[in-house]
Amino acid sequence: MSSPKPRGPRSRGARALIGAVTWTRTGTAWGFDSDKGHDAFAADAKNLNRPARDWSSQGNARGAFQNAASTIEAEYRCDYAYHAQMEPLNAVASVAPNGDAVEIWAGTQSQTTATEAPAKFLGISRDKVKLHDLLMGGGFGRRGNRDVDFIMDAVMLSKEVGRPVKAMWTREDDVHNGRFRPMSAHYLRAAIDPSGKLAAWHHRVAADRITPFMDPVRFQAGGGRDGMVMAGTDVRGYDVPHQLVEQLYRDTGVRTNPLRGIGVTANKFATESFMDEVARKRGTDPLAFRLELLKGTPRAVRAVERVAQMAEWGRKRDGRALGLSYIDYSGSQVAGIAEVSLDRASGRIKVHNFWCTIDCGVAVQPDNVIAQTESSIVYGLGMTMSERISIKDGAVEQSNFYDYSLPRMNEVPEMHIELIRTDNHPTGAGQMATPLIAPCISNAIVELTGVRLRHTPFLPDRVKKALA
């Protein structure tokens, strides 16, 4: 994508190498500007004459829009985001003197990819690659790409010098050469029939790709469908008879990878914020509107009703407001409510409380489910409030945690999590709450101010601009 920038802590060898390299600038991403790119994405998503690929459909959405009594439309955007795993990318490799075997010590998210790439590079069979898959401080999608770049650094250096080598990336290395959650633009329409019922739902997603870059084998096997980008575009659980989701595949050349919550985090920001928007434009309480649409999904109703009880949904707060969202994430029923306030002068949002219910079927380790949910909430808070990667002329502008901001302890809300105990089949809990945060906060801010926030992260300058 881009050359590493010569700033931040580096060894003399690294600085000398960077200074000696002449970059060809032939990559697709050279010249790319993420702000201008986002504008182009949004224009394409909104232009119904722009070709798109049907991702999923139910009923006859196109016909329902032609016969609608009224329609509602909205746009949403999500920026690139960095994985920000605290443990640096590092690996130790020892290549045999004749190059016919390699032994690796590293923490990975895929043993398959961690052995395939070194085997291919050395021209040996995979059984000649021995991997010691170590515990890691966090991966969140960064350590699963097929070319395992940080491992290959150690392998190539070991092959060159003929002895074991440990390679460790600096934070600047990882940020400048990161593999990010892709940016995306969303255009949504809702059709209201003559009886006032939500009859049809249309969601067009213009987004950078993940799967063809991160795992081209999977992409080809899946017939060119990028499920990592499009996950969560459905409105599963809601009684909407006609639904259509379209994908506008875009290739900026920026390195991408799945990030905690994969496509669900961006896509549910759009769908759950828009669901709230439809409710308000119909003059309906957002909680009552969801419960009416979810009445055929008892587990969903239970999760939503319970979180509303926990947060005392109907009680007015002085200077604060509540926002609700619900997700069916791979069968796990998750609902959340955020209580927020806003300093209008600075544009800073404060999340005071976050209530969450999760029905993930039989919970084998209930305490771990709660811990994972707390972690998911903090992760979602960062992507909602402050975490942003921007690209100028094909190069990443951020470098380290001084200009890529993560949630600090004093910014984390009180978390109130209830695990709903059921005898349903286990369906997962590792990242289910992460996508709740952005729509909850967006929905709370519109309740508080009447202004809808449509672009994550909700940076103070963006908030002030929206309020103006």
Side-chain angles (χ1 to χ4, degrees):
M1 176 184 67
S2 61
S3 62
K5 295 181 180 180
R7 55 182 179 175
R10 294 185 182 275
S11 67
R12 285 185 298 170
R15 290 196 297 269
L17 177 61
I18 291 170
V21 171
T22 301
W23 301 96
T24 61
R25 297 179 67 90
T26 57
T28 303
W30 281 114
F32 178 68
D33 181 297
S34 54
D35 289 340
K36 294 177 181 178
H38 232 155
D39 290 341
F41 278 27
D44 287 349
K46 188 175 183 179
N47 183 357
L48 299 181
N49 293 318
R50 292 288 292 181
R53 179 174 184 173
D54 285 9
W55 176 258
S56 64
S57 63
Q58 174 183 306
N60 179 13
R62 292 183 174 92
F65 275 97
Q66 292 177 353
N67 299 319
S70 63
T71 60
I72 300 168
E73 63 178 10
E75 297 180 40
Y76 296 90
R77 299 185 184 189
C78 299
D79 284 343
Y80 290 111
Y82 166 60
H83 291 82
Q85 71 286 340
M86 299 303 291
E87 177 191 33
L89 298 174
N90 63 94
V92 174
S94 179
V95 177
N98 58 4
D100 66 352
V102 60
E103 194 165 4
I104 299 164
W105 293 260
T108 73
Q109 289 173 267
S110 173
Q111 294 185 2
T112 299
T113 57
T115 55
E116 279 180 347
K120 184 176 180 180
F121 170 73
L122 294 172
I124 60 177
S125 62
R126 278 183 55 193
D127 61 7
K128 297 295 185 181
V129 180
K130 184 175 182 180
L131 172 67
H132 302 273
D133 198 0
L134 308 176
L135 294 174
M136 56 183 175
F140 311 112
R142 177 60 180 88
R143 290 179 165 90
N145 47 288
R146 188 163 287 271
D147 60 356
V148 288
D149 44 5
F150 67 101
I151 292 178
M152 287 307 301
D153 279 359
V155 171
M156 290 186 288
L157 288 167
S158 177
K159 183 176 185 294
E160 185 68 25
V161 302
R163 60 196 305 176
V165 168
K166 178 175 182 177
M168 179 181 292
W169 286 29
T170 65
R171 184 63 57 181
E172 287 76 11
D173 290 334
D174 193 27
V175 174
H176 297 159
N177 299 282
R179 296 159 183 267
F180 309 117
R181 178 191 76 169
M183 73 176 191
S184 57
H186 307 256
Y187 174 69
L188 299 99
R189 297 191 298 160
I192 309 300
D193 69 16
S195 70
K197 178 181 173 61
L198 174 57
W201 181 274
H202 185 197
H203 186 179
R204 284 168 59 94
V205 182
D208 217 335
R209 73 286 182 269
I210 294 178
T211 317
F213 184 87
M214 174 259 186
D215 194 340
V217 175
R218 180 188 295 187
F219 183 67
Q220 293 169 8
R225 289 170 60 84
D226 197 341
M228 290 187 179
V229 166
M230 298 300 291
T233 47
D234 60 87
V235 285
R236 187 183 307 163
Y238 290 114
D239 179 19
V240 183
H242 305 287
Q243 302 179 27
L244 174 64
V245 177
E246 295 180 287
Q247 178 184 17
L248 287 80
Y249 175 87
R250 296 294 177 263
D251 186 3
T252 65
V254 175
R255 292 188 182 97
T256 57
N257 249 28
L259 185 148
R260 193 172 191 181
I262 50 174
V264 184
T265 301
N267 295 327
K268 287 305 181 190
F269 164 57
T271 63
E272 278 298 297
S273 297
F274 188 54
M275 191 66 73
D276 193 87
E277 195 161 357
V278 172
R280 294 175 187 277
K281 289 188 175 180
R282 291 178 69 251
T284 306
D285 175 76
L287 171 63
F289 183 66
R290 284 179 172 82
L291 290 175
E292 175 64 23
L293 292 175
L294 292 170
K295 63 185 179 182
T297 313
R299 291 176 64 193
V301 169
R302 184 179 179 188
V304 172
E305 285 184 335
R306 180 58 189 141
V307 82
Q309 293 168 359
M310 292 165 60
E312 300 180 77
W313 175 260
R315 180 170 64 83
K316 296 297 183 182
R317 275 84 167 166
D318 184 20
R320 300 182 183 183
L322 302 183
L324 166 71
S325 65
Y326 154 78
I327 299 172
D328 178 330
Y329 194 144
S330 301
S332 291
Q333 308 299 304
V334 194
I337 292 177
E339 180 184 44
V340 310
S341 64
L342 172 66
D343 183 330
R344 289 174 177 265
S346 67
R348 295 192 177 277
I349 298 169
K350 173 70 175 178
V351 184
H352 300 273
N353 287 281
F354 194 87
W355 294 270
C356 180
T357 54
I358 177 169
D359 173 359
C360 57
V362 175
V364 179
Q365 294 181 313
D367 289 346
N368 193 35
V369 171
I370 298 298
Q372 287 284 359
T373 304
E374 291 172 342
S375 170
S376 294
I377 291 168
V378 175
Y379 215 99
L381 185 69
M383 285 189 282
T384 300
M385 302 295 288
S386 61
E387 296 186 42
R388 175 180 186 248
I389 288 290
S390 56
I391 311 289
K392 295 293 182 186
D393 193 22
V396 175
E397 293 194 295
Q398 290 71 29
S399 292
N400 208 316
F401 292 143
Y402 60 81
D403 57 4
Y404 186 88
S405 299
L406 301 175
R408 269 38 180 186
M409 291 181 68
N410 65 351
E411 297 170 325
V412 175
E414 291 289 330
M415 292 182 278
H416 317 272
I417 300 165
E418 184 169 303
L419 174 60
I420 297 177
R421 300 183 184 276
T422 71
D423 58 1
N424 293 290
H425 185 77
T427 45
Q431 55 198 27
M432 277 48 187
T434 299
L436 292 172
I437 313 307
C440 279
I441 295 175
S442 176
N443 297 339
I445 289 295
V446 77
E447 174 69 18
L448 187 65
T449 68
V451 173
R452 173 72 61 181
L453 300 180
R454 303 182 180 277
H455 190 172
T456 61
F458 302 148
L459 303 174
D461 286 348
R462 288 179 178 173
V463 174
K464 290 194 291 184
K465 183 177 180 180
L467 291 172

